Tab-separated table of all heavy atoms in Angstrom:
chain	number	residue	atom	x	y	z
A	1	ILE	N	-8.763	73.991	-59.156
A	1	ILE	CA	-7.718	74.399	-58.218
A	1	ILE	C	-7.702	73.420	-57.047
A	1	ILE	O	-8.763	72.980	-56.581
A	1	ILE	CB	-7.922	75.851	-57.733
A	1	ILE	CG1	-6.781	76.277	-56.785
A	1	ILE	CG2	-9.270	76.027	-57.080
A	1	ILE	CD1	-6.782	77.771	-56.477
A	2	ALA	N	-6.510	73.067	-56.615
A	2	ALA	CA	-6.356	72.167	-55.469
A	2	ALA	C	-5.207	72.676	-54.610
A	2	ALA	O	-4.192	73.162	-55.135
A	2	ALA	CB	-6.091	70.739	-55.919
A	3	ILE	N	-5.371	72.572	-53.296
A	3	ILE	CA	-4.348	73.017	-52.348
A	3	ILE	C	-4.063	71.871	-51.377
A	3	ILE	O	-4.997	71.283	-50.815
A	3	ILE	CB	-4.796	74.274	-51.580
A	3	ILE	CG1	-5.059	75.423	-52.557
A	3	ILE	CG2	-3.751	74.677	-50.556
A	3	ILE	CD1	-5.624	76.684	-51.905
A	4	VAL	N	-2.777	71.582	-51.182
A	4	VAL	CA	-2.328	70.502	-50.309
A	4	VAL	C	-1.570	71.117	-49.144
A	4	VAL	O	-0.739	72.012	-49.336
A	4	VAL	CB	-1.407	69.524	-51.061
A	4	VAL	CG1	-0.980	68.373	-50.152
A	4	VAL	CG2	-2.095	68.988	-52.314
A	5	HIS	N	-1.823	70.603	-47.939
A	5	HIS	CA	-1.194	71.139	-46.735
A	5	HIS	C	-0.720	69.987	-45.861
A	5	HIS	O	-1.415	68.990	-45.694
A	5	HIS	CB	-2.203	71.992	-45.961
A	5	HIS	CG	-1.630	72.672	-44.755
A	5	HIS	ND1	-1.550	72.072	-43.519
A	5	HIS	CD2	-1.111	73.919	-44.595
A	5	HIS	CE1	-1.012	72.901	-42.649
A	5	HIS	NE2	-0.738	74.029	-43.268
A	6	ARG	N	0.517	70.135	-45.294
A	6	ARG	CA	1.033	69.152	-44.337
A	6	ARG	C	1.560	69.888	-43.118
A	6	ARG	O	2.301	70.868	-43.244
A	6	ARG	CB	2.120	68.278	-44.978
A	6	ARG	CG	1.615	67.483	-46.167
A	6	ARG	CD	2.639	66.481	-46.677
A	6	ARG	NE	2.875	65.408	-45.716
A	6	ARG	CZ	3.618	64.326	-45.989
A	6	ARG	NH1	4.190	64.189	-47.194
A	6	ARG	NH2	3.792	63.388	-45.077
A	7	GLN	N	1.161	69.404	-41.946
A	7	GLN	CA	1.373	70.143	-40.707
A	7	GLN	C	2.463	69.526	-39.836
A	7	GLN	O	2.482	68.329	-39.587
A	7	GLN	CB	0.068	70.171	-39.901
A	7	GLN	CG	0.146	70.911	-38.593
A	7	GLN	CD	0.284	72.410	-38.773
A	7	GLN	OE1	-0.320	72.992	-39.667
A	7	GLN	NE2	1.089	73.028	-37.923
A	8	HIS	N	3.390	70.373	-39.360
A	8	HIS	CA	4.279	70.019	-38.262
A	8	HIS	C	3.578	70.359	-36.954
A	8	HIS	O	2.738	71.263	-36.894
A	8	HIS	CB	5.578	70.826	-38.335
A	8	HIS	CG	6.593	70.269	-39.265
A	8	HIS	ND1	7.292	69.116	-39.017
A	8	HIS	CD2	7.058	70.729	-40.456
A	8	HIS	CE1	8.142	68.875	-40.002
A	8	HIS	NE2	8.008	69.837	-40.894
A	9	VAL	N	3.954	69.669	-35.883
A	9	VAL	CA	3.419	69.983	-34.562
A	9	VAL	C	4.573	70.437	-33.685
A	9	VAL	O	5.398	69.627	-33.245
A	9	VAL	CB	2.695	68.776	-33.948
A	9	VAL	CG1	2.207	69.111	-32.536
A	9	VAL	CG2	1.521	68.361	-34.823
A	10	PHE	N	4.655	71.739	-33.455
A	10	PHE	CA	5.684	72.318	-32.604
A	10	PHE	C	5.103	72.947	-31.339
A	10	PHE	O	5.813	73.142	-30.356
A	10	PHE	CB	6.466	73.391	-33.369
A	10	PHE	CG	7.253	72.852	-34.538
A	10	PHE	CD1	7.009	73.310	-35.828
A	10	PHE	CD2	8.231	71.895	-34.352
A	10	PHE	CE1	7.730	72.828	-36.902
A	10	PHE	CE2	8.958	71.396	-35.423
A	10	PHE	CZ	8.714	71.857	-36.706
A	11	THR	N	3.828	73.325	-31.373
A	11	THR	CA	3.189	73.996	-30.237
A	11	THR	C	1.935	73.222	-29.849
A	11	THR	O	1.403	72.433	-30.651
A	11	THR	CB	2.794	75.439	-30.605
A	11	THR	OG1	1.690	75.397	-31.528
A	11	THR	CG2	3.955	76.186	-31.240
A	12	PRO	N	1.407	73.439	-28.652
A	12	PRO	CA	0.142	72.781	-28.286
A	12	PRO	C	-0.984	73.116	-29.254
A	12	PRO	O	-1.828	72.268	-29.561
A	12	PRO	CB	-0.143	73.324	-26.881
A	12	PRO	CG	1.196	73.703	-26.339
A	12	PRO	CD	1.987	74.202	-27.520
A	13	GLU	N	-0.987	74.347	-29.743
A	13	GLU	CA	-2.059	74.764	-30.661
A	13	GLU	C	-1.970	74.039	-32.001
A	13	GLU	O	-2.983	73.846	-32.678
A	13	GLU	CB	-2.000	76.273	-30.875
A	13	GLU	CG	-2.279	77.104	-29.635
A	13	GLU	CD	-1.063	77.259	-28.735
A	13	GLU	OE1	0.068	76.893	-29.172
A	13	GLU	OE2	-1.218	77.723	-27.593
A	14	ASP	N	-0.741	73.655	-32.408
A	14	ASP	CA	-0.579	72.961	-33.688
A	14	ASP	C	-1.335	71.634	-33.729
A	14	ASP	O	-1.711	71.156	-34.804
A	14	ASP	CB	0.902	72.682	-33.959
A	14	ASP	CG	1.689	73.918	-34.336
A	14	ASP	OD1	1.062	74.914	-34.739
A	14	ASP	OD2	2.930	73.889	-34.234
A	15	GLU	N	-1.553	71.026	-32.574
A	15	GLU	CA	-2.223	69.729	-32.540
A	15	GLU	C	-3.663	69.827	-33.028
A	15	GLU	O	-4.249	68.829	-33.466
A	15	GLU	CB	-2.175	69.161	-31.122
A	15	GLU	CG	-0.750	68.870	-30.650
A	15	GLU	CD	-0.701	68.364	-29.215
A	15	GLU	OE1	-1.784	68.212	-28.611
A	15	GLU	OE2	0.410	68.118	-28.715
A	16	ASP	N	-4.247	71.020	-32.983
A	16	ASP	CA	-5.623	71.222	-33.440
A	16	ASP	C	-5.690	71.899	-34.803
A	16	ASP	O	-6.783	72.253	-35.268
A	16	ASP	CB	-6.403	72.060	-32.418
A	16	ASP	CG	-6.521	71.376	-31.068
A	16	ASP	OD1	-6.674	70.136	-31.051
A	16	ASP	OD2	-6.440	72.071	-30.035
A	17	GLU	N	-4.541	72.083	-35.430
A	17	GLU	CA	-4.519	72.754	-36.732
A	17	GLU	C	-5.135	71.847	-37.791
A	17	GLU	O	-4.951	70.614	-37.755
A	17	GLU	CB	-3.080	73.103	-37.106
A	17	GLU	CG	-2.952	74.091	-38.251
A	17	GLU	CD	-3.467	75.487	-37.874
A	17	GLU	OE1	-2.687	76.283	-37.350
A	17	GLU	OE2	-4.664	75.735	-38.125
A	18	ALA	N	-5.865	72.420	-38.732
A	18	ALA	CA	-6.566	71.613	-39.742
A	18	ALA	C	-6.639	72.348	-41.075
A	18	ALA	O	-7.684	72.384	-41.720
A	18	ALA	CB	-7.962	71.243	-39.254
A	19	MET	N	-5.550	72.951	-41.495
A	19	MET	CA	-5.543	73.582	-42.809
A	19	MET	C	-5.448	72.518	-43.908
A	19	MET	O	-4.898	71.452	-43.676
A	19	MET	CB	-4.360	74.571	-42.900
A	19	MET	CG	-4.603	75.847	-42.110
A	19	MET	SD	-3.310	77.095	-42.351
A	19	MET	CE	-2.052	76.521	-41.206
A	20	PRO	N	-5.930	72.831	-45.119
A	20	PRO	CA	-6.527	74.093	-45.561
A	20	PRO	C	-7.891	74.340	-44.901
A	20	PRO	O	-8.703	73.438	-44.794
A	20	PRO	CB	-6.684	73.911	-47.070
A	20	PRO	CG	-5.826	72.741	-47.443
A	20	PRO	CD	-5.772	71.873	-46.227
A	21	TYR	N	-8.079	75.587	-44.455
A	21	TYR	CA	-9.368	76.008	-43.912
A	21	TYR	C	-10.257	76.462	-45.054
A	21	TYR	O	-9.830	77.248	-45.905
A	21	TYR	CB	-9.191	77.157	-42.928
A	21	TYR	CG	-8.630	76.734	-41.596
A	21	TYR	CD1	-7.472	77.310	-41.102
A	21	TYR	CD2	-9.266	75.768	-40.830
A	21	TYR	CE1	-6.949	76.944	-39.873
A	21	TYR	CE2	-8.761	75.381	-39.594
A	21	TYR	CZ	-7.604	75.969	-39.121
A	21	TYR	OH	-7.091	75.592	-37.912
A	22	ALA	N	-11.481	75.981	-45.054
A	22	ALA	CA	-12.422	76.386	-46.097
A	22	ALA	C	-13.827	76.356	-45.534
A	22	ALA	O	-14.275	75.321	-45.018
A	22	ALA	CB	-12.329	75.461	-47.308
A	23	GLY	N	-14.511	77.480	-45.628
A	23	GLY	CA	-15.909	77.519	-45.244
A	23	GLY	C	-16.770	77.016	-46.392
A	23	GLY	O	-16.279	76.621	-47.458
A	24	SER	N	-18.078	77.011	-46.190
A	24	SER	CA	-18.997	76.587	-47.233
A	24	SER	C	-18.945	77.587	-48.385
A	24	SER	O	-19.436	78.711	-48.275
A	24	SER	CB	-20.420	76.507	-46.669
A	24	SER	OG	-21.322	76.165	-47.691
A	25	GLU	N	-18.284	77.192	-49.469
A	25	GLU	CA	-18.094	78.035	-50.651
A	25	GLU	C	-17.390	79.342	-50.306
A	25	GLU	O	-17.503	80.335	-51.015
A	25	GLU	CB	-19.434	78.334	-51.340
A	25	GLU	CG	-20.131	77.102	-51.843
A	25	GLU	CD	-21.407	77.429	-52.597
A	25	GLU	OE1	-21.746	78.630	-52.683
A	25	GLU	OE2	-22.023	76.502	-53.114
A	26	GLY	N	-16.681	79.354	-49.168
A	26	GLY	CA	-15.994	80.563	-48.748
A	26	GLY	C	-14.517	80.500	-49.029
A	26	GLY	O	-14.032	79.599	-49.721
A	27	PRO	N	-13.742	81.474	-48.495
A	27	PRO	CA	-12.310	81.534	-48.765
A	27	PRO	C	-11.578	80.307	-48.217
A	27	PRO	O	-12.008	79.664	-47.261
A	27	PRO	CB	-11.878	82.811	-48.050
A	27	PRO	CG	-13.121	83.610	-47.878
A	27	PRO	CD	-14.213	82.621	-47.712
A	28	VAL	N	-10.426	80.030	-48.836
A	28	VAL	CA	-9.605	78.885	-48.473
A	28	VAL	C	-8.230	79.400	-48.057
A	28	VAL	O	-7.633	80.233	-48.752
A	28	VAL	CB	-9.456	77.902	-49.659
A	28	VAL	CG1	-8.646	76.680	-49.231
A	28	VAL	CG2	-10.818	77.489	-50.186
A	29	LEU	N	-7.728	78.889	-46.931
A	29	LEU	CA	-6.416	79.308	-46.432
A	29	LEU	C	-5.509	78.110	-46.251
A	29	LEU	O	-5.890	77.112	-45.644
A	29	LEU	CB	-6.543	80.030	-45.082
A	29	LEU	CG	-5.208	80.316	-44.376
A	29	LEU	CD1	-4.422	81.392	-45.121
A	29	LEU	CD2	-5.431	80.720	-42.925
């Protein structure tokens, strides 16, 4: 399984966005 993510920056918080989020062998968002 592979997930690809591309981010727009519309808000100040978007500048720190880093999806896909994945912990060590944990869930992926």
Side-chain angles (χ1 to χ4, degrees):
I1 182 169
I3 300 175
V4 182
H5 184 274
R6 299 188 68 172
Q7 180 70 38
H8 277 289
V9 177
F10 295 120
T11 71
E13 295 82 11
D14 287 341
E15 296 177 2
D16 298 323
E17 194 67 88
M19 286 186 278
Y21 285 124
S24 177
E25 298 184 358
V28 183
L29 171 70

